[in-house]
Amino acid sequence: MKYKKENIFTLKEVADFLTVPVPNLVYLSNNMHKNIRESKKLKKGSLTDMRTITAPSKNLKAVLRLVKSQILSTYSFRSYVYGLGGNTLKQHASIHEGNKEIIQVDLTDFYPSIKHDMVYKMWIEVFEISPEAARILTRITTMGGGLKQGFPTSSHIAGIVAEEFTSSIDDYCGTNNLKFTQYVDDLNISGIDVDLRMVFKTIISLGRVHRLTIKRKKTKVNSRLDGKTITGVALFNQQTRATKEVRNRAVGALRDLASSPKDEHYRNRASGYLGFLKHLNRRDGNRYAKLRDDIINSKIN
């Protein structure tokens, strides 16, 4: 059954809709500390800075996936949003073709800024769910007072809560001859002969208005004329392909597969990269498919 605002309201109706018993939802909401595992990992490109990885338990992840697929995924995002509303990564990247400068902002940087009260307000005002049900849903989709990377629901919630902010960026870009897109957690602004410093200052100001903090050091500014990288996609001469970093990871997946060709996880991982490469560049995808198939066939035969 597709979610409609008139279909669910009370906690019991939410539970019935998700096919999760009310006691299970209440238990998870009261015992989140028992249903997550946190670990530290070095941030990319750093030898000292650590980031916290939050992994939900099997039961919590299953419920969060239901919340995402049955409720959050029914939300109609604006036309500049890709990845959350069905538009493809290639379509997203192609919007910026031909532009010389681009600013990229990672929306996951906003996660600590998206507090539980914002999420609670979203459940009530956007999805028109009762306060009791909204409290339960807020408790199981946030941790430590805000959103967490690693929760299946975080990207959708961030996109919805931050929509006033992103729509203000879209309005600003529309009046200044700039292109703006959002791909899941990545915000991209591009143009020709752009005053990047002024654009970035404007983004920071708009973020402050909406209680969202932007980390300057993680914002990427690209003013090269020979090519651009957008969300793992390299744009060169009106063509798209996966970035070198992504292609290297795909090769690594093939090495893992070669070490254990019957391993289901390695097969699925290689197939995932195959789909990604083929979507962006058919030639790259066909080459990768041949390598993968050769590995599987040679090891089995």
Side-chain angles (χ1 to χ4, degrees), residues 31-57:
N31 295 276
M32 287 293 287
H33 62 288
K34 296 180 181 179
N35 283 276
I36 65 161
R37 185 179 70 257
E38 290 191 337
S39 59
K40 299 288 186 180
K41 185 178 179 181
L42 278 173
K43 292 183 178 180
K44 185 178 177 181
S46 174
L47 296 177
T48 56
D49 293 340
M50 306 291 288
R51 67 187 178 103
T52 302
I53 307 297
T54 306
S57 68

Side-chain angles (χ1 to χ4, degrees), residues 83-103:
L84 297 176
N87 294 318
T88 68
L89 180 58
K90 188 173 183 178
Q91 290 173 320
H92 160 259
S94 66
I95 296 294
H96 300 277
E97 285 186 36
N99 286 347
K100 296 179 180 180
E101 294 90 17
I102 184 166
I103 294 178

Side-chain angles (χ1 to χ4, degrees), residues 27-187:
Y27 170 80
L28 286 173
S29 71
N30 291 331
N31 295 276
M32 287 293 287
H33 62 288
K34 296 180 181 179
N35 283 276
I36 65 161
R37 185 179 70 257
E38 290 191 337
S39 59
K40 299 288 186 180
K41 185 178 179 181
L42 278 173
K43 292 183 178 180
K44 185 178 177 181
S46 174
L47 296 177
T48 56
D49 293 340
M50 306 291 288
R51 67 187 178 103
T52 302
I53 307 297
T54 306
S57 68
K58 183 178 179 180
N59 289 339
L60 177 59
K61 182 181 285 188
V63 172
L64 291 178
R65 283 176 171 169
L66 286 171
V67 173
K68 174 185 172 181
S69 63
Q70 299 301 311
I71 301 179
L72 293 170
S73 292
T74 65
Y75 184 79
S76 296
F77 285 95
R78 303 202 180 195
S79 60
Y80 56 78
V81 178
Y82 295 75
L84 297 176
N87 294 318
T88 68
L89 180 58
K90 188 173 183 178
Q91 290 173 320
H92 160 259
S94 66
I95 296 294
H96 300 277
E97 285 186 36
N99 286 347
K100 296 179 180 180
E101 294 90 17
I102 184 166
I103 294 178
Q104 297 172 275
V105 180
D106 188 348
L107 194 58
T108 59
D109 282 347
F110 300 158
Y111 281 14
S113 301
I114 298 178
K115 303 300 183 183
H116 61 90
D117 63 304
M118 298 178 177
V119 178
Y120 176 75
K121 181 180 178 182
M122 176 202 74
W123 291 120
I124 290 180
E125 295 187 358
V126 176
F127 294 99
E128 298 183 2
I129 290 173
S130 71
E132 180 189 23
R135 278 193 294 272
I136 297 295
L137 290 176
T138 301
R139 287 175 183 171
I140 66 174
T141 54
T142 62
M143 190 72 190
L147 294 183
K148 288 291 185 180
Q149 290 191 51
F151 280 23
T153 48
S154 289
S155 291
H156 274 75
I157 291 175
I160 296 169
V161 172
E163 189 171 83
E164 288 187 7
F165 166 63
T166 56
S167 64
S168 66
I169 295 178
D170 188 50
D171 291 340
Y172 167 77
C173 290
T175 57
N176 288 275
N177 200 28
L178 300 170
K179 298 289 187 181
F180 171 64
T181 58
Q182 174 184 342
Y183 186 81
V184 189
D185 292 320
D186 292 311
L187 309 181

Side-chain angles (χ1 to χ4, degrees), residues 9-16 20 22 25-26 129-130 132-134 136-137:
F9 179 76
T10 67
L11 178 58
K12 184 178 185 310
E13 289 170 336
V14 170
D16 290 344
V20 178
V22 169
L25 292 176
V26 173
I129 290 173
S130 71
E132 180 189 23
I136 297 295
L137 290 176

